[in-house]
Amino acid sequence: MFRPAGFGHLLVMNIAVLTSGGDSPGMNAGIRAIVRHGISQGHQIFGFVEGFRGLVDKEKLELDRASVSEIIDRGGTILRTSRYDEFLRPEIQKQAARNLQSAGIDALIVIGGEGSMRGTDALGKNGASVIGVPASIDNDIYGTDFSIGFDSALNTVVAMLSKLRDTASSHERIFVVEVMGRRSGSIALNAGVAGGADYTCLPGTPAIAPEQVKEMTAIVNSRYRRGKTHTLIVVAEGAGSAAEVAAAIHAGTDQEVRISVLGHIQRGGSPSAMDRLLASRLGAHAVDLAAAGKSGLMVGLVGGRLTATELPAAFGQKAALDADLYRLAKEVA
Ligand code: F6P
């Protein structure tokens, strides 16, 4: 659905953007880049609010340069987002594709996580021109070294571990800290190393598996005997809960144990510089792919280079954890 452009432009497109799934710091930087790079290329940019729900309910708004002023440093998403389970239904996906056509949208860019990439692909299979931009603090999306929001969440968790170390040391306590990530251990593993955790429980092995509880308890008691004033244990939510790990360790030590579930704190806050850079580069790259008539792809940054991955490959396989980093986590703890 290309239009004859004005003088000097090859083609002017109507490009829409929406944010879907769990929000993540940097989404606004992505929206800002899509709008401002798109306008610089002569395109018109629109937004749909609240993820795929806004597309189905035709809640569209025009975005101009002023629409995205002063948002690069704000967490969350000015377009708001949703987990819209109805979008799993084929008839709803068809309706959404029809809505794009009736709204005169030539291409849709979706900023979201693994589930949102699935929804984006479904739209593409219904005839829409679509490009995905990976955004999730979980960093569980294949086809990019990092997804937008992960670096910000990692910095938040590392800062929280430092604060918890202060009070743990003051009371000679064990702290079990539960972090997000759904089934991914990326936040837990990277925060464990960067935050100096003494043990990290990752998905794949239940956190309270007997051999793991035995290992953690031995580390806790050994540290106490060596005069260490605290022990910090990080638990990925995909491996279990901080409460069950604390109870299991408490049974094997005389020390006080406390827990901290970081929860949605990891989703908020001003995006890090790296996430602002990543989101800006991926957003602009998505516009360029759409303008070149590409569809069914997810943009990424791999080894410092901008890439494009077929959507089914992006959500069809899990981003594997770095085995070397896992070994390092044990060595440096
Ligand atoms: O996918 C991002 C994420 O923060 C997960 O790490 C977490 O398990 C989930 O979203 C929480 O979902 P909600 O925000 O709907 O409670």
Side-chain angles (χ1 to χ4, degrees):
M1 289 184 289
F2 289 110
R3 289 167 176 68
F7 177 73
H9 289 286
L10 285 174
L11 291 167
V12 172
M13 292 176 73
N14 289 334
I15 297 174
V17 56
L18 63 83
T19 48
S20 171
D23 68 307
S24 72
M27 279 187 162
N28 279 328
I31 295 167
R32 176 177 177 273
I34 289 164
V35 172
R36 292 193 170 179
H37 178 63
I39 289 170
S40 75
Q41 299 301 301
H43 306 300
Q44 276 200 291
I45 311 297
F46 300 87
F48 287 99
V49 299
E50 297 180 16
F52 291 121
R53 187 204 63 72
L55 170 57
V56 171
D57 295 341
K58 301 181 183 180
E59 293 185 31
K60 180 183 82 167
L61 44 101
E62 186 161 352
L63 298 172
D64 59 18
R65 290 185 57 85
S67 310
V68 292
S69 294
E70 299 172 20
I71 67 167
I72 193 167
D73 61 340
R74 284 175 49 197
T77 160
I78 59 168
L79 291 176
R80 302 190 304 283
T81 182
S82 66
R83 295 186 189 283
Y84 187 52
D85 292 341
E86 291 83 341
F87 206 66
L88 295 169
R89 291 161 48 194
E91 66 273 19
I92 299 293
Q93 295 164 0
K94 286 181 176 47
Q95 180 59 52
R98 285 195 296 269
N99 289 359
L100 283 171
Q101 184 153 27
S102 60
I105 299 298
D106 299 306
L108 174 67
I109 298 174
V110 176
I111 303 175
E114 184 251 351
S116 301
M117 295 301 104
R118 288 178 187 276
T120 306
D121 189 53
L123 266 179
K125 288 183 165 57
N126 279 284
S129 174
V130 294
I131 300 290
V133 177
S136 169
I137 67 167
D138 300 347
N139 198 40
D140 58 352
I141 307 169
Y142 180 84
T144 187
D145 288 345
F146 301 108
S147 50
I148 295 166
F150 168 69
D151 183 65
S152 301
L154 179 56
N155 282 294
T156 295
V157 173
V158 167
M160 295 303 110
L161 288 177
S162 178
K163 293 175 188 290
L164 288 169
R165 180 180 282 106
D166 292 345
T167 180
S169 300
S170 301
H171 287 266
E172 295 199 351
R173 283 170 169 165
I174 303 159
F175 257 88
V176 184
V177 185
E178 183 180 319
V179 299
M180 280 185 162
R182 211 182 283 274
R183 292 177 299 280
S184 166
S186 200
I187 292 175
L189 177 56
N190 287 273
V193 176
D198 302 300
Y199 195 90
T200 305
C201 297
L202 297 176
T205 303
I208 55 169
E211 68 278 7
Q212 187 145 238
V213 172
K214 186 177 175 185
E215 188 177 2
M216 282 189 278
T217 306
I219 287 169
V220 160
N221 290 327
S222 163
R223 286 178 56 83
Y224 186 71
R225 287 193 298 272
R226 286 184 282 130
K228 294 288 187 178
T229 58
H230 69 277
T231 297
L232 277 182
I233 295 170
V234 171
V235 179
E237 65 179 351
S241 71
E244 59 185 0
V245 171
I249 291 173
H250 180 62
T253 178
D254 296 329
Q255 292 181 77
E256 286 188 306
V257 189
R258 292 291 187 273
I259 70 170
S260 184
V261 179
L262 299 185
H264 288 72
I265 288 171
Q266 299 160 92
R267 291 255 291 275
S270 179
S272 67
M274 293 309 288
D275 269 329
R276 299 181 199 186
L277 284 166
L278 176 64
S280 299
R281 296 185 70 184
L282 294 187
H285 188 37
V287 169
D288 291 342
L289 290 178
K294 305 290 186 186
S295 179
L297 300 171
M298 184 196 79
V299 297
L301 193 67
V302 178
R305 299 179 63 84
L306 291 169
T307 60
T309 302
E310 295 288 337
L311 277 165
F315 60 75
Q317 48 196 318
K318 284 294 163 220
L321 280 184
D322 183 332
D324 291 336
L325 186 60
Y326 184 51
R327 272 191 294 278
L328 181 64
K330 287 188 173 293
E331 289 165 1
V332 300

